[in-house]
Amino acid sequence: MIVLKGAEVSAKIKEEVRAALDFMSGSIPKLAILRVGENPDDISYERGAKKKLTDFGLAVQSHVWPADVTDEQFRQEFDAINRDPETDGILLLRPLPRHIRERDIERMIDPAKDLDGISPLNMAKVFSGDPSGFAPCTAEAVIEILKTNGIPIAGRRVTVVGRSLVVGRPLAMLMLAEHATVTICHTKTADLKAACKNAEILAAAAGSAGMITGDMISPGAIVIDVGINVNADGKLCGDAAFDTLEGIASMATPVPGGVGAVTTAVLAKHLVKAAAARRGIRLPDRA
Ligand code: NDP
């Protein structure tokens, strides 16, 4: 089984970002990361994104609010960042505390700065197959992994486990845009095993540790594991029981070191795309 490492895909994206930055002659794109509260997962993601983007030569500024910030105060300060001419892109760490109306923020965010595709406009573009907007970074990371490794998608049977708006659904739409034949599974799917066995490419985005096992996939299948879970030993693990795939899957992504590493690289790529568009710079293809 070939292990599809996220670092190799991230390195390729880094080259693309560096080439784009050369083209933008010294103008450094700036990302604003918005965090409310001290959720350890958010803090860890923020740290990883900052490290990656800085390494790629991009600027990052964190904005942090206490968990009890009022809806009104958050909205006002969000609005100021949204309008700030120095800010090229926004990453909002979610979910927000329940008293903040996340739906309103999704509607407020400038689609041109919405790097993780949460605005209705960017969502609609993903669902209508229009590549001009921003797809959610994780969903796009899966496509990047397949393409960078030369894995064909067109015409293949793809099963996506998970139907959230953050990962499963947009990923299914991106797969469809690449001309895959897509099956989407969720908790009410009657025969999950059959749907998984049918897949040539299986993308697991359920958030359930080790739920995909070797006996659920067909020989030669490619498994892309989006899940990030903590197992009984307190270790990070994916939705697939990785060891059980050996000898059955042809390729699989590890957790950690798979999709997660590519997600932040896609965020960097989106930031450069947003910054170039805001500056009226047309980047050459693959720059
Ligand atoms: P959600 O909890 O929002 O959605 C999970 C989806 O999986 C739901 O649609 C749910 O079905 C489905 N599901 C859950 N359990 C099962 C099951 N046993 N059988 C079939 N379907 C199931 O999670 P997210 O979409 O936000 O995230 C999914 C995973 O991806 C998580 O582990 C998360 O940590 C990870 N993630 C990883 C990222 C990365 O960069 N690698 C980024 C974002 C998320 P139903 O709709 O019926 O409830």
Side-chain angles (χ1 to χ4, degrees), residues 147-170:
K147 286 190 171 173
T148 303
N149 286 285
I151 299 165
I153 305 173
R156 300 186 94 178
R157 295 185 306 279
V158 171
T159 295
V160 178
V161 184
R163 60 174 165 180
S164 77
L165 279 177
V166 179
V167 193
R169 274 180 221 222

Side-chain angles (χ1 to χ4, degrees), residues 59-193:
V60 182
Q61 184 177 3
S62 286
H63 301 261
V64 181
W65 291 265
D68 61 356
V69 63
T70 64
D71 184 47
E72 196 189 341
Q73 188 188 343
F74 180 71
R75 187 191 292 254
Q76 274 175 10
E77 292 176 17
F78 176 84
D79 190 47
I81 296 164
N82 206 23
R83 290 169 191 270
D84 173 20
E86 303 293 314
T87 299
D88 294 298
I90 294 174
L91 176 70
L92 176 67
L93 299 177
R94 298 186 298 162
L96 294 170
R98 290 169 75 93
H99 67 278
I100 297 180
R101 281 172 289 181
E102 200 168 299
R103 269 284 168 87
D104 290 354
I105 303 294
E106 289 167 3
R107 291 196 187 101
M108 279 169 74
I109 192 167
D110 178 352
K113 295 183 178 184
D114 170 27
L115 305 188
D116 208 17
I118 65 171
S119 65
L121 181 68
N122 281 320
M123 198 76 82
K125 284 184 175 180
V126 169
F127 278 73
S128 62
D130 174 352
S132 69
F134 294 106
C137 296
T138 304
E140 193 171 315
V142 174
I143 304 292
E144 284 279 355
I145 290 169
L146 294 170
K147 286 190 171 173
T148 303
N149 286 285
I151 299 165
I153 305 173
R156 300 186 94 178
R157 295 185 306 279
V158 171
T159 295
V160 178
V161 184
R163 60 174 165 180
S164 77
L165 279 177
V166 179
V167 193
R169 274 180 221 222
L171 174 56
M173 290 305 118
L174 295 182
M175 289 288 193
L176 195 58
E178 296 292 336
H179 312 294
T181 301
V182 184
T183 301
I184 306 173
C185 299
H186 45 80
T187 53
K188 303 288 185 291
T189 297
D191 192 346
L192 182 67
K193 186 172 179 179

